[in-house]
């Protein structure tokens, strides 16, 4: 019960309760009805300051209904994901992050219960549980995005994700292969995948981009491969081919002349015959699958005596070689397909001539390595049949 002594103000009211603490009341800006404050205060001054701040928030249009955040976080995160327009693979990744890393620690509580302290504790728990730092950084980015939408929806007043640097993906630097190692793996792998290894290393294409290539994308006369689309491997087993995320992903990439003979041999014996046919297929004509190819790649590394690396590290190797030729940042971003649409438009003016010079410089390095005691390229005879 309230003390009979109340204090009426121009905006709201402050009164002392029998407990000795102070309570505020103010008009709900949506209904005009008086509502009590969410907490009580030790002194009349504290209560008056709190009421003044609420009045200022309402005047600025920044007031948020404290009850609005009483929404289950797990349900809100699911709805957030459902309402996003995302590529299928991206949607799968986000769903996995929410299911594996957000819901276990935060899903049972409400939005308003997620404080900066709670976010710090959640992140620390993940790291102490042995979740890798890059994965934790990705989970933090998704959490921040979900809660940013909650702010936009007027459910919470401020995003509690405020840990400096927590969203930075501090992945360890990936290894690169030497030219000798690239060719050692290319020699050791099943013949139908030799060109795949060389093209990955010297064009910097991603696995999905390589899997989506067709014959008409490869112009050996001009020594160019055109990246138009990319294959995505979903958890359902589906292999859709999609447009790249940005205009920068659609690009011509110049090839070193040293791998042209390998590409010609590949087209003769392994590529599908139609112009629209896929450049790389499995022994039974199936599409390349990253999950299946992993075993072939691992065996080739072992047979070649090369330390275990990811197939994606061939792309890193090619990027490093291109950088070593003196290519500019813009030229590298074009070759790698890294940029926003706007950035890609700015880079278009240099796409042809300088990219050719980059490939020529890479070609010189390949020939130098081949001249240092390495065996010549194989004859263009039909490669020996191989299992798998």
């Amino acid at each position: 019960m309230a003390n009979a002594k109340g204090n009426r103000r121009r905006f709201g009211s402050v009164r002392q309760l029998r407990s000795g603490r102070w309570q505020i009341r103010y008009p709900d800006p949506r209904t005009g009805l008086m509502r009590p404050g969410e907490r009580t205060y030790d002194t009349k001054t504290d209560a008056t300051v709190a009421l003044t701040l609420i009045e200022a928030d309402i005047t600025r249009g920044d007031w948020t209904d404290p009850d609005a955040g009483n929404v289950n976080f797990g349900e809100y995160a699911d709805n957030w994901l459902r309402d996003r327009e995302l590529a299928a693979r991206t949607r799968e990744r986000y769903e996995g992050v929410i299911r594996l890393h957000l819901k276990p620690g935060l899903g049972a509580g409400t939005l308003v219960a997620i404080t900066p302290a709670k976010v710090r504790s959640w992140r620390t728990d993940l790291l102490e549980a042995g979740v890798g730092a890059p994965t934790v950084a990705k989970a933090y980015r998704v959490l921040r995005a979900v809660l940013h939408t909650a702010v936009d929806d007027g459910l919470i007043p401020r995003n509690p994700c405020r840990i400096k640097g927590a969203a930075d993906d501090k992945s360890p630097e990936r290894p690169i292969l030497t030219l000798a190692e690239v060719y050692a793996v290319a020699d050791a792998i099943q013949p139908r995948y030799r060109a795949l290894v060389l093209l990955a290393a010297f064009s910097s294409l991603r696995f999905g981009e390589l899997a989506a290539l067709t014959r008409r994308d490869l112009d050996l006369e001009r020594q160019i491969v055109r990246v138009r689309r990319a294959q995505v491997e979903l958890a359902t087993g589906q292999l859709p081919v999609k447009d790249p995320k940005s205009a920068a992903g659609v690009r011509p990439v110049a090839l070193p002349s040293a791998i042209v003979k390998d590409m010609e041999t590949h087209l003769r014996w392994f590529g599908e015959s139609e112009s629209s046919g896929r450049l790389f297929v499995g022994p039974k004509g199936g599409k390349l699958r990253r999950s299946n190819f992993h075993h072939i790649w691992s065996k080739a590394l072992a047979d070649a005596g090369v330390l275990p690396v990811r197939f994606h590290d061939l792309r890193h190797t090619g990027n490093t070689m291109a950088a070593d030729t003196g290519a500019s940042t813009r030229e590298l971003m074009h070759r790698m397909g890294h940029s926003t649409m706007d950035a890609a438009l700015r880079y278009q003016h240099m796409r042809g001539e300088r990219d050719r010079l980059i490939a020529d410089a890479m070609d010189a390095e390949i020939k130098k390595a081949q001249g240092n005691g390495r065996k010549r390229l194989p004859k263009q005879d039909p490669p020996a049949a191989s299992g798998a």
Side-chain angles (χ1 to χ4, degrees):
M1 295 179 63
N3 190 307
K5 294 172 58 178
N7 186 5
R8 301 296 299 176
R9 295 165 39 89
R10 178 180 59 82
F11 175 82
S13 64
V14 176
R15 65 176 183 173
Q16 190 175 30
L17 304 176
R18 285 187 174 180
S19 64
R21 295 184 63 80
W22 292 82
Q23 182 188 55
I24 63 173
R25 289 171 61 84
Y26 61 93
D28 189 307
R30 301 166 305 176
T31 65
L33 300 176
M34 295 297 290
R35 62 178 295 157
E38 289 66 51
R39 49 167 295 193
T40 58
Y41 301 89
D42 292 333
T43 67
K44 180 179 179 180
T45 299
D46 291 342
T48 302
V49 169
L51 190 59
T52 301
L53 293 175
I54 291 174
E55 181 181 15
D57 285 343
I58 293 175
T59 301
R60 292 194 303 265
D62 293 338
W63 180 81
T64 301
D65 182 357
D67 296 329
N70 291 323
V71 175
N72 178 263
F73 171 76
E75 293 178 3
Y76 185 82
D78 288 339
N79 292 332
W80 175 88
L81 182 59
R82 182 198 62 194
D83 295 339
R84 301 276 80 75
E85 293 184 3
L86 301 170
R89 183 66 184 123
T90 302
R91 183 174 296 279
E92 280 192 345
R93 287 199 297 268
Y94 282 15
E95 188 278 330
V97 168
I98 292 171
R99 174 171 48 83
L100 297 175
H101 304 303
L102 300 192
K103 282 186 175 181
L106 302 170
T110 62
L111 289 172
V112 73
I114 302 178
T115 62
K118 181 68 174 177
V119 172
R120 289 194 299 271
S121 176
W122 161 80
R123 179 174 177 270
T124 299
D125 288 344
L126 287 181
L127 292 170
E128 290 182 347
V131 180
T135 300
V136 174
K138 292 173 185 175
Y140 181 87
R141 290 196 295 269
V142 174
L143 175 63
R144 185 175 61 182
V146 173
L147 295 177
H148 181 74
T149 302
V151 173
D152 288 344
D153 288 345
L155 302 180
I156 53 176
R158 187 178 179 188
N159 195 325
C161 292
R162 305 176 203 168
I163 306 174
K164 186 176 181 180
D168 298 338
D169 191 348
K170 300 179 180 67
S171 300
E173 185 174 348
R174 295 301 310 173
I176 62 173
L177 283 72
T178 65
L179 281 172
E181 288 174 331
V182 170
Y183 272 97
V185 178
D187 291 343
I189 206 165
Q190 296 178 25
R192 71 168 48 251
Y193 301 119
R194 175 185 174 83
L196 179 71
V197 171
L198 298 179
L199 193 58
F202 303 129
S203 70
S204 296
L205 268 62
R206 304 171 178 87
F207 185 88
E209 293 171 338
L210 292 162
L213 289 176
T214 64
R215 274 182 175 264
R216 61 186 173 203
D217 295 326
L218 187 64
D219 185 341
L220 293 181
E221 183 176 347
R222 297 177 60 192
Q223 297 176 25
I224 288 175
V225 59
R226 292 182 177 85
V227 183
R228 309 175 198 266
R229 308 192 75 189
Q231 177 180 288
V232 181
E233 187 168 343
L234 302 179
T236 59
Q238 295 175 300
L239 296 171
V241 175
K242 65 177 185 64
D243 293 330
K245 293 181 179 179
S246 72
V250 179
R251 64 198 187 278
V253 178
L255 303 176
S257 61
I259 69 170
V260 169
K261 291 294 184 183
D262 290 282
M263 300 310 301
E264 289 176 345
T265 299
H266 179 84
L267 288 174
R268 184 179 308 162
W269 297 107
F270 302 116
E272 292 184 331
S273 58
E274 303 84 1
S275 63
S276 60
R278 287 165 296 169
L279 197 59
F280 298 107
V281 294
K284 297 182 179 179
K287 295 181 180 180
L288 291 187
R289 287 184 178 274
R290 190 189 305 270
S291 53
N292 292 343
F293 185 76
H294 171 74
H295 304 291
I296 298 170
W297 171 251
S298 297
K299 183 178 185 303
L301 290 174
D303 291 347
V306 175
L307 292 176
V309 292
R310 300 180 306 169
F311 181 83
H312 190 73
D313 291 325
L314 290 174
R315 171 175 162 82
H316 184 47
T317 298
N319 293 339
T320 303
M321 286 186 63
D324 289 344
T325 68
S328 70
T329 300
R330 288 186 175 185
E331 292 163 345
L332 287 173
M333 292 190 70
H334 155 65
R335 192 171 183 88
M336 296 160 57
H338 274 184
S339 92
T340 63
M341 185 177 296
D342 290 341
L345 294 175
R346 293 198 300 271
Y347 304 156
Q348 281 182 343
H349 69 278
M350 62 81 197
R351 283 188 168 182
E353 186 174 82
R354 277 294 299 163
D355 197 39
R356 176 73 263 152
L357 294 175
I358 292 172
D360 289 343
M362 293 171 67
D363 192 48
E365 292 297 317
I366 296 171
K367 290 178 178 177
K368 184 190 300 183
Q370 291 175 338
N372 291 336
R374 206 199 154 275
K375 65 181 181 180
R376 304 296 296 174
L377 291 171
K379 296 180 180 180
Q380 305 306 304
D381 295 326
S386 179

